[in-house]
Amino acid sequence: MAKRVVIVGGGPAGMQTALELKARGIEPIIVERDVELGGKVRDWHKLFPSFTPASDVLDPIIRGVKSAKIRCFLGQEVRAIAPDGVTLRSEERIHADAVVVATGFTLFDAHRKQEYGYGLYSNVITSVDLERMMNNGRVTLADGSEPRRIAILHCVGSRDEKVCQRHCSKVCCITGVKQAIELKQMFPTADVFNFYMDIRMFGAGYEELYREAQQRYNVHFVRGRISEAAQTINDRIQIKAEDTLTGRPLRMTVDMLVLLVGMNGNRDNESLAASASLNIAPNGFFEPKDSFRGAVCSQREGIFFAGAATAPKSLADTLAEASMTASTVAEYLNHKYNTR
Amino acid sequence: MRNINFGYGISRPRAIDIDNNDLRKSNAIIAEMPELQACIGCGSCTASCTAGNLTEFNFRRLHTAVRRGEYKGAYEDINKCMLCGKCRLVCPRGINTRALIMLIKRKLGDF
Ligand SMILES: Cc1cc2nc3c(=O)[nH]c(=O)nc-3n(C[C@H](O)[C@H](O)[C@H](O)COP(=O)(O)OP(=O)(O)OC[C@H]3O[C@@H](n4cnc5c(N)ncnc54)[C@H](O)[C@@H]3O)c2cc1C
Ligand code: SF4
Ligand code: SF4
Ligand code: SF4
């Protein structure tokens, strides 16, 4: 009989792991909290660094899951995990020979940085709001007009003790560069300013895109973190920063402020981890067995990880890791059942 | 040989001379407040600073200079601070900047 693996989370990591397990003759079952498969990427418009439409990557994976007839429990949340299965919020138990945790991340709630006025000022939006606007085909200010001057702020809800998120979210710098270019493509006469503390371009083609933003699109990069934003009487936003490279305080008024929100660990990571004696790293994500050969293994035999559940990751890294997870799980099952 | 005056004077070199700067005070400050080492130079403290808006005072630049052993003018400069504490509210590294100001004052005051 085919060995069965329960995969917690039906985002890109969970689906890709499922597809590759299925191809190896193993029976995967996906449990997804949402009523749809796809995870966060469903909301993204075009992907860095190539501007590939997100649906071009996501849709074939979802179709693959459907055509492979992989069983999916949608709208079901996993409450506890163990090497021999999972328990749903409904108290139903699904038995398995191994479990993969592919629960991804949670977006930082920008309301928590009150000094930037998200939710208070109508033209302060997040990078996620901007992706959704682009998916809806129209980016405008709250009154329907076009922005002429836009500021993009890096590290919102990352690298910040004040919100207990010390880690770097890794993908927001390149997202900020990508969105700056997209804004310049939409509004060629607008001025776009990225406010950063450090620019982290870790992936292939990222540094080149940064340079393209500077040279070809004339995006301005200011090294300084915005300390606060305030709405002016005509719904514009006044921001304050230090231009650290000239050593002087800087003030400017913009039409739109885009906050690059970070990736946080899920709130229920603690309780899921406790249910199976797994470790949570200080950054709030699941801690893998080690960072090298055990990057998809947990501290417990029979429980594995895939994707952004263990750290902020790009989609490319997530999919590559899912392949590694599938082969590691297959090897584990082989070893377990052939040596008995 | 006759000394020819080319019109150039000898001015103090502009480089920060870590080899010759006296880092003892700087080290003493860091020893008392090791969290200062965590500064990432983001400038939030300077951006929010009331004194920095009105005068040349730049708190990020000042405490960075002090860490490098550049104390000249620092004590006089830091007296422009009104100890309002706004900088502490915004520091992403959670540095107690207000306490740092008091510490720098104390350490540099007994020069
Ligand atoms: C603003 C932004 C833009 C980005 N743009 C790009 C880009 O352009 N290119 C790129 O390569 N990457 C991009 N990324 C990164 C990309 O989104 C991630 O790499 C990807 O989403 C990770 O996939 P995942 O499956 O690990 O996690 P997720 O997408 O978070 O999926 C996890 C799934 O698990 C489900 N789940 C969680 N807990 C439970 C539970 N207890 N029970 C059941 N189900 C559960 C969730 O509902 C979710 O559907 C971006 C990220 C951000 C924040
Ligand atoms: S990737 Fe860039 S914007 Fe995101 S947390 Fe890291 S440094 Fe900040
Ligand atoms: S405490 Fe001093 S340095 Fe800090 S914001 Fe107030 S005046 Fe500026
Ligand atoms: S706000 Fe904090 S981290 Fe930023 S420059 Fe000032 S002391 Fe350094």
Side-chain angles (χ1 to χ4, degrees), chain A residues 72-149:
Chain A
C72 298
F73 288 71
L74 297 180
Q76 302 276 359
E77 188 175 56
V78 169
R79 173 182 77 68
I81 46 184
D84 64 347
V86 301
T87 311
L88 305 184
R89 184 85 36 221
S90 63
E91 293 306 323
E92 187 185 338
R93 241 189 91 75
I94 308 175
H95 288 278
D97 301 293
V99 168
V100 174
V101 178
T103 47
F105 64 98
T106 299
L107 288 157
F108 176 74
D109 176 8
H111 292 96
R112 289 177 62 199
K113 290 297 291 177
Q114 274 180 8
E115 58 267 47
Y116 300 140
Y118 182 69
L120 296 172
Y121 312 147
S122 42
N123 290 315
V124 178
I125 63 170
T126 67
S127 43
V128 176
D129 297 331
L130 184 58
E131 291 294 322
R132 288 181 187 145
M133 281 187 190
M134 290 191 283
N135 268 338
N136 294 333
R138 222 169 117 70
V139 175
T140 63
L141 299 176
D143 67 3
S145 65
E146 286 191 359
R148 281 159 296 130
R149 203 188 234 189

Side-chain angles (χ1 to χ4, degrees), chain B residues 38-45 59-60 63 87 90-93 95 97:
Chain B
C39 170
I40 43 178
C42 71
S44 301
C45 47
F59 181 50
R60 177 199 52 79
H63 70 63
C87 48
V90 292
C91 176
R93 282 293 169 103
I95 297 168
T97 47

Side-chain angles (χ1 to χ4, degrees), chain A residues 113 115 159-162 166 196-198 223-228 240-251, chain B residues 40-49 52-53 55-58 60-61 86-95:
Chain A
K113 290 297 291 177
E115 58 267 47
R159 308 179 67 200
D160 188 352
E161 303 262 340
K162 293 284 154 52
R166 292 180 165 192
Y196 68 95
M197 305 198 281
D198 295 286
R223 193 188 175 282
R225 180 171 174 270
I226 297 176
S227 65
E228 59 196 274
K240 285 185 181 182
E242 186 199 356
D243 182 355
T244 59
L245 300 182
T246 62
R248 285 168 58 197
L250 177 151
R251 304 272 170 280
Chain B
I40 43 178
C42 71
S44 301
C45 47
T46 298
S48 63
C49 176
N53 273 326
T55 68
E56 282 283 294
F57 177 59
N58 181 329
R60 177 199 52 79
R61 204 168 49 192
K86 266 189 92 180
C87 48
R88 191 182 173 187
L89 295 176
V90 292
C91 176
R93 282 293 169 103
I95 297 168

Side-chain angles (χ1 to χ4, degrees), chain A residues 2-286:
Chain A
K3 296 291 165 246
R4 182 196 268 185
V5 176
V6 170
I7 297 167
V8 188
M15 291 190 294
Q16 185 67 25
T17 308
L19 281 174
E20 298 198 24
L21 286 174
K22 181 84 181 186
R24 287 176 163 87
I26 295 164
E27 184 203 348
I29 295 180
I30 295 176
V31 185
E32 167 56 54
R33 183 162 53 192
D34 269 2
V35 291
E36 269 182 75
L37 293 171
K40 310 290 182 304
V41 181
R42 268 207 325 254
D43 275 337
W44 308 160
H45 179 55
K46 287 181 181 166
L47 300 174
F48 62 73
S50 55
F51 295 92
T52 309
S55 53
D56 284 8
V57 179
L58 196 60
D59 292 355
I61 300 178
I62 296 179
R63 277 201 303 275
V65 169
K66 286 184 180 156
S67 65
K69 298 201 166 51
I70 291 170
R71 269 175 75 196
C72 298
F73 288 71
L74 297 180
Q76 302 276 359
E77 188 175 56
V78 169
R79 173 182 77 68
I81 46 184
D84 64 347
V86 301
T87 311
L88 305 184
R89 184 85 36 221
S90 63
E91 293 306 323
E92 187 185 338
R93 241 189 91 75
I94 308 175
H95 288 278
D97 301 293
V99 168
V100 174
V101 178
T103 47
F105 64 98
T106 299
L107 288 157
F108 176 74
D109 176 8
H111 292 96
R112 289 177 62 199
K113 290 297 291 177
Q114 274 180 8
E115 58 267 47
Y116 300 140
Y118 182 69
L120 296 172
Y121 312 147
S122 42
N123 290 315
V124 178
I125 63 170
T126 67
S127 43
V128 176
D129 297 331
L130 184 58
E131 291 294 322
R132 288 181 187 145
M133 281 187 190
M134 290 191 283
N135 268 338
N136 294 333
R138 222 169 117 70
V139 175
T140 63
L141 299 176
D143 67 3
S145 65
E146 286 191 359
R148 281 159 296 130
R149 203 188 234 189
I150 303 158
I152 299 178
L153 175 59
H154 291 229
C155 303
V156 177
S158 309
R159 308 179 67 200
D160 188 352
E161 303 262 340
K162 293 284 154 52
V163 292
C164 305
Q165 300 294 332
R166 292 180 165 192
H167 64 280
C168 162
S169 294
K170 196 170 168 180
V171 302
C172 16
C173 268
I174 179 67
T175 299
V177 166
K178 183 202 74 145
Q179 294 188 337
I181 292 177
E182 289 172 312
L183 288 164
K184 285 293 279 189
Q185 287 170 341
M186 280 182 271
F187 312 112
T189 57
D191 286 317
V192 179
F193 293 79
N194 283 48
F195 287 84
Y196 68 95
M197 305 198 281
D198 295 286
I199 291 273
R200 297 187 168 165
M201 294 288 142
F202 65 93
Y206 294 12
E207 183 68 19
E208 290 83 344
L209 200 67
Y210 174 24
R211 191 180 169 130
E212 193 174 325
Q214 294 174 298
Q215 278 190 311
R216 180 150 162 228
Y217 291 96
N218 196 22
V219 174
H220 308 283
F221 287 85
V222 182
R223 193 188 175 282
R225 180 171 174 270
I226 297 176
S227 65
E228 59 196 274
Q231 188 160 275
T232 64
I233 195 149
N234 51 353
D235 274 4
R236 300 186 81 209
I237 301 141
Q238 209 208 13
I239 54 182
K240 285 185 181 182
E242 186 199 356
D243 182 355
T244 59
L245 300 182
T246 62
R248 285 168 58 197
L250 177 151
R251 304 272 170 280
M252 73 187 287
T253 312
V254 296
D255 303 310
M256 180 186 263
L257 172 61
V258 181
L259 307 175
L260 295 171
V261 285
M263 294 165 87
N264 299 167
N266 295 344
R267 199 166 310 160
D268 61 357
N269 281 357
E270 289 280 351
S271 59
L272 278 182
S275 72
S277 315
L278 305 179
N279 290 358
I280 295 293
N283 63 7
F285 289 78
F286 286 98

